[in-house]
Amino acid sequence: MRGPDLGERSHARRHHRGRGPAGLNSALILGRCRRNVLLCDKGEPRNAVTPRTWGLFTRDGTPPFDLRAAGQADLDRYPTVERRDIEVVGARRDGEGFEVRLADGSLERARRLILATGLHQNLPEIEGLAEHWGTGVHSCPYCDGYEARDEPIVAYAHGAVAKGFALELTAWSRDVTLCTDGRPTELSDEDRARLARNGVRLVTDRVRRLHGDGDRLTHIELADGGTLPCRAVFLMPAECLPSDLVRELGCDLTGKGTVPTRDYEKTNVPGLFVAGDASRRVQFAVVAAAEGAMAAFAVNMELLSEDTR
């Protein structure tokens, strides 16, 4: 967002927040290409409530803030990369580039723009759930399933995806319960039989609250007075809310609220790239970092083509 080259922006939102692997890695690659980069963020990482970052090559289990600090230290080696702790509150196409408005009222221009904004997921309004978000309640079993291995796991899901989501969790535990919280299951007799064959119990009662002892989730209290032992709850993939910038800039959206990026994280808006959880792929830290690198590569090649005409 400063120029002439590129701006990258990560936007903080409740539960899912910015300046993650996608933004940091895109800035790193572009810094090594000697491009002028301004990395802006409000300074509240999306995984602030998560004790560890898992599944990241050579950094498996690193606390998120340690990982972020190391990424920022990497950027400090490159004189063309500037980091600024400030929110981007608006952006628009301006000629062949972009005009970006910051929270302090200042304007920056960029030839290219990368959004690494993450997503905002509304959590179910269940007492005790928010308190265990990131420690006992998760959205990704690939990220947090191993820590609940062989323990009682609950798939909180309903509708057409419920069966598949519950069966997916059997890779980590044979003690899996599908909890629909009183909502329609859309399960056929064959679906129910398949769940039963794989040891997945079905609970259709409403959920009253989640209980734990300190940081550890212990059980779910049901509306009928029953209890359900539980070490971890995994929320089914749901529609998420993208950053306001995504809509403001005119990006296409999928039914789940993500941006359907093309090769090298290109969007339908010329010069605009979206990397990380806001794009359509699986939401792993290592994938977000790779998407940031691909977007940076494409940005550099586009600028190189312009500069050498």
Side-chain angles (χ1 to χ4, degrees), residues 6 8 22-35 37 112-114 262-266 271 273-275 288-306:
L6 174 130
E8 187 284 340
L24 290 169
N25 211 35
S26 62
L28 174 65
I29 298 300
L30 286 161
R32 292 186 57 78
C33 294
R34 305 181 70 187
R35 296 293 180 183
V37 180
R112 296 295 186 275
L113 183 62
I114 297 177
R262 304 165 187 174
D263 290 344
Y264 299 100
E265 308 313 306
K266 296 179 181 179
F273 301 76
V274 173
E291 290 179 357
M294 289 190 294
F297 171 81
V299 165
N300 185 63
M301 293 303 293
E302 286 188 6
L303 294 178
L304 184 63
S305 178
E306 288 183 6

Side-chain angles (χ1 to χ4, degrees), residues 24-170:
L24 290 169
N25 211 35
S26 62
L28 174 65
I29 298 300
L30 286 161
R32 292 186 57 78
C33 294
R34 305 181 70 187
R35 296 293 180 183
N36 292 321
V37 180
L38 176 58
L39 174 64
C40 290
D41 186 78
K42 192 177 179 180
E44 299 176 358
R46 62 166 294 225
N47 53 3
V49 298
T50 305
R52 305 276 179 176
T53 300
W54 301 106
L56 185 60
F57 178 61
T58 76
R59 295 294 182 269
D60 190 44
T62 302
F65 279 98
D66 292 352
L67 191 65
R68 180 185 180 209
Q72 292 177 163
D74 287 343
L75 296 183
D76 290 341
R77 300 191 185 105
Y78 300 96
T80 60
V81 177
E82 177 186 352
R83 293 188 289 107
R84 199 180 299 179
D85 291 330
I86 192 169
E87 183 178 8
V88 174
V89 296
R92 67 180 185 89
R93 285 279 296 174
D94 184 23
E96 295 299 316
F98 297 88
E99 182 182 81
V100 177
R101 186 171 72 257
L102 306 183
D104 62 3
S106 62
L107 298 176
E108 299 286 350
R109 281 193 47 79
R111 295 167 68 186
R112 296 295 186 275
L113 183 62
I114 297 177
L115 299 182
T117 57
L119 290 169
H120 168 72
Q121 179 177 339
N122 288 320
L123 298 179
E125 294 184 1
I126 298 173
E127 189 176 353
L129 190 145
E131 289 83 342
H132 292 94
W133 176 245
T135 56
V137 180
H138 312 280
S139 61
C140 175
Y142 289 89
C143 300
D144 298 289
Y146 188 81
E147 282 59 54
R149 63 193 181 278
D150 301 324
E151 298 271 10
I153 292 177
V154 168
Y156 183 91
H158 58 87
V161 303
K163 178 197 68 175
F165 187 57
L167 290 173
E168 183 179 2
L169 295 179
T170 62

Side-chain angles (χ1 to χ4, degrees), residues 3-17:
D5 295 327
L6 174 130
E8 187 284 340
R9 188 267 186 182
S10 298
H11 177 51
R13 305 206 58 146
R14 178 174 162 237
H15 305 313
H16 282 62
R17 293 173 175 166

Side-chain angles (χ1 to χ4, degrees), residues 280-293:
R280 70 186 186 279
R281 296 182 178 87
V282 292
Q283 296 176 359
F284 300 169
V286 67
V287 173
E291 290 179 357

